[in-house]
Amino acid sequence: MNRTADTANRPAAIHEMHGRGLDHPQDTWVVNMEATAALLIAFGSLLAFAASFGAIPEGGIAEWAIDCLFPMQFPLFYFASGYLYQRYRSVRTRSAWMANLRREAVILLVPFAVFTVLALAASTVTGGARVLDGATLLDALLARPMEPLGYLYTSLILYAITPTVISRRNARGLLFAALACKLAIVAALSLPGSAPTAAQLPYAVVSVAENWIWFATGMAVSLFGALPLLRSREKAWALGSLWIAASVITFIAGWLGEASHALLDAIGIFWFASLFSSAFRSGTQNAFYGFATRYTMAFWLVGPIALKLTVAGLSACGLSVSAAPWLCFAAGLVACFAAPVLVTAALGRCGKAAVIIYPARYLAPPPAIIVKKGVS
């Protein structure tokens, strides 16, 4: 199937997180994996909230999930972005690089800037450590992004430094460079002699060094056509069992750190890729993911802010989380999962106001950077 006309006349996918691909059946597994990661991030916020006031025990499974499972979700985002970037873009010349970076700057920086302001405003209202003023805003935009918005900040840098690859040799070189950065930052942050100095490195340096490998891995899987090697229920079960066993052992033994997280993330990415590419091999979408994938960005952008405001609202109404834990848990559930859907739907009814969450839905890919070859 030739994609010259296919890509030139179609808008970016509304189901994919950043609109880098198309609504193509072969990408169903990717967008569903992204949606699952977003839902798990939202659930992690809810779980931490519930544990903080005793609705659920702080230790045990909840702590294991907060320490091991939920931190893996942003590496999954980087992997998916790299996969779709290599699959749908050709960025090998200066003009293509400029065209791609202009588009990515809009797609990433619009929600980054808007939700940085909203997150700081929510922090101000709820008595957080960072308040909305000029100096703090500049710091959050340029040096130390608010969590979880650092993903958008780091992604733009990754697009700026990473051209698409055209050969296996290119891909191996990219993987080697990204792996070298990962090993260097893990060692720097882990070794007692270098950890204090490494902790003072700029956020951009640390975050890119930590996450470039996942982005490059996604690109390599796309270029090498490695997905069929992962696409097996047996392999998904094996990788899942390996990840669960490794995470439980490291959690119980108290071995969690930079190195163990890197290993768990690597296993986890291949587990999720194998699981979702197997489950959605036919490309047929189901009703649940058909709905959830329309709100992937909103779940992790809107959810944390809505949760903070919900806690503040409950306190203002005189409801103590310790006195009414399950009522507060239910309110948190609404904040993490219903509020993102309602906010996105409301913005969608106000012209193009939803651009603050999904700029890609209003910005078609420049023809100069679209891959014009058959879908693999």
Side-chain angles (χ1 to χ4, degrees), residues 153-173:
Y153 179 96
T154 302
S155 291
L156 184 61
I157 300 174
L158 291 177
Y159 283 105
I161 66 173
T162 314
T164 52
V165 290
I166 57 174
S167 68
R168 292 173 177 266
R169 181 178 180 181
N170 287 156
R172 286 192 292 268

Side-chain angles (χ1 to χ4, degrees), residues 16 20-21 26-31 33-34 76-89 159 164 214-228 230-231 273 277 375-376:
E16 194 267 310
R20 296 190 176 103
Q26 290 188 9
D27 298 330
T28 298
W29 73 272
V30 184
V31 299
M33 185 176 73
E34 288 179 323
L76 281 171
F77 282 165
Y78 289 113
F79 171 84
S81 290
Y83 178 86
L84 293 171
Y85 175 57
Q86 178 65 34
R87 180 168 166 77
Y88 286 106
R89 300 290 179 262
Y159 283 105
T164 52
W214 314 132
F215 189 83
T217 299
M219 294 176 64
V221 167
S222 178
L223 178 75
F224 291 152
L227 200 58
L230 296 171
R231 193 184 288 139
S277 65
V375 175
S376 59

Side-chain angles (χ1 to χ4, degrees), residues 16-356:
E16 194 267 310
M17 189 164 69
H18 295 298
R20 296 190 176 103
L22 303 173
D23 276 327
H24 194 283
Q26 290 188 9
D27 298 330
T28 298
W29 73 272
V30 184
V31 299
N32 290 356
M33 185 176 73
E34 288 179 323
T36 302
L39 289 168
L40 285 173
I41 290 168
F43 184 62
S45 299
L46 178 64
L47 206 63
F49 167 62
S52 69
F53 62 81
I56 60 173
E58 289 193 19
I61 294 177
E63 186 178 355
W64 165 81
I66 291 169
D67 288 346
C68 299
L69 178 62
F70 302 131
M72 185 180 77
Q73 306 315 310
F74 279 106
L76 281 171
F77 282 165
Y78 289 113
F79 171 84
S81 290
Y83 178 86
L84 293 171
Y85 175 57
Q86 178 65 34
R87 180 168 166 77
Y88 286 106
R89 300 290 179 262
S90 177
V91 182
R92 298 294 302 174
T93 65
R94 182 178 178 180
S95 60
W97 179 83
M98 287 296 297
N100 186 65
L101 199 60
R102 281 196 299 268
R103 181 173 188 268
E104 294 300 337
V106 175
I107 290 173
L108 297 168
L109 294 185
V110 168
F112 175 65
V114 170
F115 282 90
T116 293
V117 173
L118 294 177
L120 286 173
S123 180
T124 302
V125 170
T126 58
R130 301 176 79 174
V131 297
L132 181 57
D133 59 36
T136 306
L137 179 59
L138 284 175
D139 181 56
L141 291 174
L142 301 177
R144 294 185 302 134
M146 301 283 288
E147 292 296 335
L149 302 175
Y151 164 75
L152 300 169
Y153 179 96
T154 302
S155 291
L156 184 61
I157 300 174
L158 291 177
Y159 283 105
I161 66 173
T162 314
T164 52
V165 290
I166 57 174
S167 68
R168 292 173 177 266
R169 181 178 180 181
N170 287 156
R172 286 192 292 268
L174 175 63
L175 283 171
F176 179 81
L179 180 60
C181 289
K182 181 68 172 179
L183 293 174
I185 198 63
V186 166
L189 291 171
S190 302
L191 297 175
S194 59
T197 302
Q200 301 302 315
L201 289 171
Y203 175 90
V205 173
V206 174
S207 185
V208 168
E210 287 184 331
N211 295 297
W212 195 18
I213 184 62
W214 314 132
F215 189 83
T217 299
M219 294 176 64
V221 167
S222 178
L223 178 75
F224 291 152
L227 200 58
L229 299 176
L230 296 171
R231 193 184 288 139
S232 157
R233 293 184 183 275
E234 293 76 15
K235 290 175 183 176
W237 277 103
L239 288 166
S241 299
L242 175 62
W243 185 89
I244 292 171
S247 64
V248 170
I249 291 170
T250 54
F251 174 75
I252 293 175
W255 294 340
L256 289 173
E258 293 291 330
S260 58
H261 272 301
L263 180 60
L264 290 176
D265 289 346
I267 298 171
I269 284 171
F270 286 110
W271 168 30
F272 269 57
S274 178
L275 177 64
F276 281 87
S277 65
S278 300
F280 297 96
R281 182 172 187 169
S282 68
T284 302
Q285 184 62 286
N286 61 36
F288 172 78
Y289 279 110
F291 175 82
T293 53
R294 298 177 70 92
Y295 304 99
T296 300
M297 288 279 284
F299 284 126
W300 64 272
L301 285 176
V302 177
I305 297 174
L307 184 59
K308 287 183 180 180
L309 295 176
T310 298
V311 174
L314 292 171
S315 299
C317 294
L319 290 174
S320 167
V321 291
S322 58
W326 291 107
L327 176 60
C328 293
F329 182 81
L333 196 65
V334 171
C336 289
F337 297 103
V341 174
L342 294 173
V343 168
T344 306
L347 291 173
R349 293 179 176 275
C350 300
K352 295 184 178 181
V355 70
I356 67 172

